[in-house]
Amino acid sequence: MFQIRPPSKIQVRRSARRAGRLGLRAGASLLVSGLMVPMTMAQSPEAPTLSAALVTHVQQVAQAGARGSLPAQARVEVQVGALDPRLKLAPCALVQPYLPPGLQMWGRTRIGLRCVEGPVRWNVSLPVTVKVFAKALVAGDALAAGTQLTQALLATAEIDIAAESGGVFTDAASLNGRTLSRSLVAGETVRSGSLKARQWFAAGDTVMVRAAGPGYSVAREGQAMTMGLEGQNVKVRFESGRIVTGRVVGDRQVEVLL
């Protein structure tokens, strides 16, 4: 089964470092009505606007931040919003877009803008919408809650996987026998949140706990303290008495991210 999920916090940090290597100091100017004038002196009631070069640069930074955790065939589009009209910013010769720490470049999010060459150094945030298009499974027809899925009930379409929360699926066979927790209209994406959670093990079962960190991975057996529902957190006790909390990822499988 291949499930595309939103990026984790670790992936977000890696994407931020990758975007930082793309030359974020390329020149771009922040303009008001096309004029390099102090924004506090601008008479126009409109919000401060971005130059075309800066808009392009923001899109490049956001795309780089999104791509760190996506399959190669995914297509990323970035829609740049407008600055808060209440802002009064001094003119700046060089504006640097950057990825705010820990913020996902996924769906509705924000990019940071800071003035690095100007009489006043300012730092603001700019709303952006990051759309991630990839092929995923959708309902072939209207399906009622409680429907048990088969491959015949599903179709494949290119959708914006970042439009809503929850992972999406690409392998129809992996959904055979899964039950819908809510109804779907024809063409609607089958997401992890629209499926009833599977129970992978019971309280007291022996489970394998895998812990992963930068450059290493370890695995140990432990005893589940509660039943393991797919995607939910569970406590596991090791023979030494130590207790850890991890996420249920499969049949008697628990994952701990360090």
Side-chain angles (χ1 to χ4, degrees):
M1 176 181 72
F2 181 46
Q3 184 178 171
I4 305 175
R5 295 177 177 274
S8 66
K9 290 184 178 179
I10 290 178
Q11 291 168 327
V12 168
R13 290 196 293 270
R14 289 173 180 169
S15 296
R17 290 195 296 269
R18 184 176 295 108
R21 295 193 293 267
L22 293 181
L24 297 186
R25 296 188 63 84
S29 298
L30 186 61
L31 310 181
V32 179
S33 301
L35 301 176
M36 285 295 293
V37 297
M39 293 190 177
T40 53
M41 296 173 60
Q43 301 301 312
S44 171
E46 297 179 356
T49 58
L50 309 179
S51 68
L54 183 52
V55 169
T56 299
H57 198 185
V58 166
Q59 291 172 326
Q60 292 171 344
V61 172
Q63 287 175 344
R67 286 212 168 272
S69 58
L70 299 177
Q73 68 272 20
R75 177 169 55 88
V76 180
E77 293 183 5
V78 179
Q79 294 180 346
V80 179
L83 288 168
D84 189 327
R86 295 169 296 181
L87 289 174
K88 302 296 182 181
L89 303 177
C92 185
L94 181 59
V95 178
Q96 181 187 66
Y98 67 94
L99 298 180
L103 195 60
Q104 296 179 351
M105 288 298 101
W106 190 269
R108 292 185 178 181
T109 184
R110 307 187 80 81
I111 283 281
L113 295 178
R114 56 191 167 210
C115 177
V116 294
E117 288 186 14
V120 178
R121 300 296 177 92
W122 42 258
N123 195 329
V124 297
S125 62
L126 174 69
V128 296
T129 300
V130 179
K131 298 184 176 184
V132 182
F133 293 95
K135 289 186 177 181
L137 294 175
V138 300
D141 204 345
L143 302 175
T147 298
Q148 193 170 62
L149 296 177
T150 65
Q151 294 187 53
L153 297 176
L154 302 171
T156 300
E158 186 182 62
I159 56 96
D160 177 10
I161 62 178
E164 299 177 27
S165 61
V168 300
F169 301 86
T170 61
D171 181 10
S174 68
L175 294 180
N176 270 337
R178 298 295 303 273
T179 302
L180 289 178
S181 60
R182 64 178 184 85
S183 61
L184 299 177
V185 300
E188 186 174 356
T189 309
V190 181
R191 295 184 179 267
S192 55
S194 58
L195 301 173
K196 288 187 176 180
R198 292 175 289 192
Q199 181 177 331
W200 285 117
F201 50 82
D205 283 352
T206 299
V207 298
M208 182 62 69
V209 180
R210 301 185 185 279
Y216 73 92
S217 176
V218 296
R220 288 181 58 188
E221 286 189 342
Q223 185 180 50
M225 300 178 66
T226 57
M227 67 177 176
L229 295 178
E230 181 179 31
Q232 302 297 312
N233 287 339
V234 63
K235 291 184 182 295
V236 178
R237 187 196 307 273
F238 294 123
E239 188 176 357
S240 64
R242 182 188 176 193
I243 296 175
V244 300
T245 300
R247 184 167 58 90
V248 179
V249 295
D251 187 14
R252 298 185 183 228
Q253 300 291 317
V254 176
E255 179 182 65
V256 177
L257 292 177
L258 303 178

